[in-house]
Amino acid sequence: MCARRSTPRHQSQAGSLLLSNPTLRDPNFAKTVILLSVHDTDGAMGIVLNRPTGKTLAALGGALAAGALAEVPIFTGGPVQTEQLLICAWRIDAEKKAGFQLHFGIEPARAAELLAEPGMHVRAFLGYAGWSSGQLETELNADAWAVTEIPENLMEIGEGVDLWTGLLGEIGHEWVLWAEEPDDPSGN
C-alpha cells in the first residue's frame, strides 16, 4: 500500500515516488509520477514514469531498431536534457524480500540482458527531472509533492494520468477528489 511519508529536510527520498500535488500547474510536472533515483545534499534526479510518447526504441532506428530492445516504450522523462536517452530497468520483488531493484541509465547491451529476466521492466526515457541542492527539499516543504513508497503493483495501476490518479488514490480518497477537479472550474 502506498502511504504518504513525512519528509525530514535532510532525509534522502531516493527509491521513492514523487506524486505532484493536484494544485501543481507547472506544465513540466502537472499530474506526474516521478521515480526518484538520486537524492542527496548535491540535489536530486529522477524520471517521469507516466508520460508515454507512444513510440518504441524501434522508432529511433539504428541498432536499437532491430535488437531485443526494439519494443521498449519511450517516455518523456522530464524537462532536463530532453535529447538524452536514458534506459532504465526495475523489478519489484516482494516475494524474495529483495525489494525494489533499479538500474538507471544503463547501456543497451545490459538492458537487453535485464529484459530477459523475469519480472524486470525496461523503459526508455527522453530527458529527466533534476533539482539543484536544496531545491527539492523546498518543494517538499511547500507540499508540491507527495512522497510514496513504490507499490508492488506499480505496473498494473495504469499509464499516463491514470497512474498518477491511481497512486494518489492509495494515499487517500480526498487526494483523488482533489485530483479529479477540473483544471478550469468555469468548465463545470
Side-chain angles (χ1 to χ4, degrees), residues 140-165:
L140 289 168
N141 289 335
D143 289 328
W145 303 98
V147 180
T148 68
E149 295 177 2
I150 299 169
E152 292 177 31
N153 64 340
L154 177 66
M155 301 307 293
E156 299 158 17
I157 293 173
E159 196 169 86
V161 174
D162 290 342
L163 177 60
W164 176 73
T165 305

Side-chain angles (χ1 to χ4, degrees), residues 20-26 30-31 142-144 164 175 178-179 181:
S20 63
N21 188 306
T23 62
L24 185 62
R25 299 291 182 231
D26 177 336
K31 301 181 180 181
D143 289 328
W164 176 73
W175 282 82
W178 201 7
E181 288 181 0

Side-chain angles (χ1 to χ4, degrees), residues 28-161:
N28 292 309
F29 296 112
K31 301 181 180 181
T32 58
V33 175
I34 296 178
L35 172 58
L36 201 57
S37 63
V38 175
H39 182 210
D40 58 28
T41 56
D42 293 330
M45 178 182 177
I47 46 174
V48 176
L49 292 179
N50 66 323
R51 292 228 170 121
T53 64
K55 297 179 182 175
T56 64
L57 287 176
L60 299 180
L64 295 175
L69 301 177
E71 296 306 311
V72 168
I74 301 173
F75 290 74
T76 300
V80 180
Q81 295 186 359
T82 57
E83 70 288 346
Q84 181 180 5
L85 181 72
L86 291 169
I87 302 175
C88 303
W90 63 85
R91 172 177 31 218
I92 304 166
D93 196 352
E95 289 179 16
K96 294 183 180 176
K97 305 292 185 220
F100 182 73
Q101 300 171 353
L102 174 64
H103 305 270
F104 192 83
I106 54 179
E107 294 295 323
R110 179 67 177 134
E113 291 171 4
L114 291 169
L115 187 63
E117 291 185 16
M120 193 64 74
H121 301 279
V122 178
R123 301 286 183 269
F125 299 89
L126 291 171
Y128 61 91
W131 294 264
S132 61
S133 179
Q135 185 180 8
L136 181 58
E137 289 81 1
T138 298
E139 293 178 16
L140 289 168
N141 289 335
D143 289 328
W145 303 98
V147 180
T148 68
E149 295 177 2
I150 299 169
E152 292 177 31
N153 64 340
L154 177 66
M155 301 307 293
E156 299 158 17
I157 293 173
E159 196 169 86
V161 174

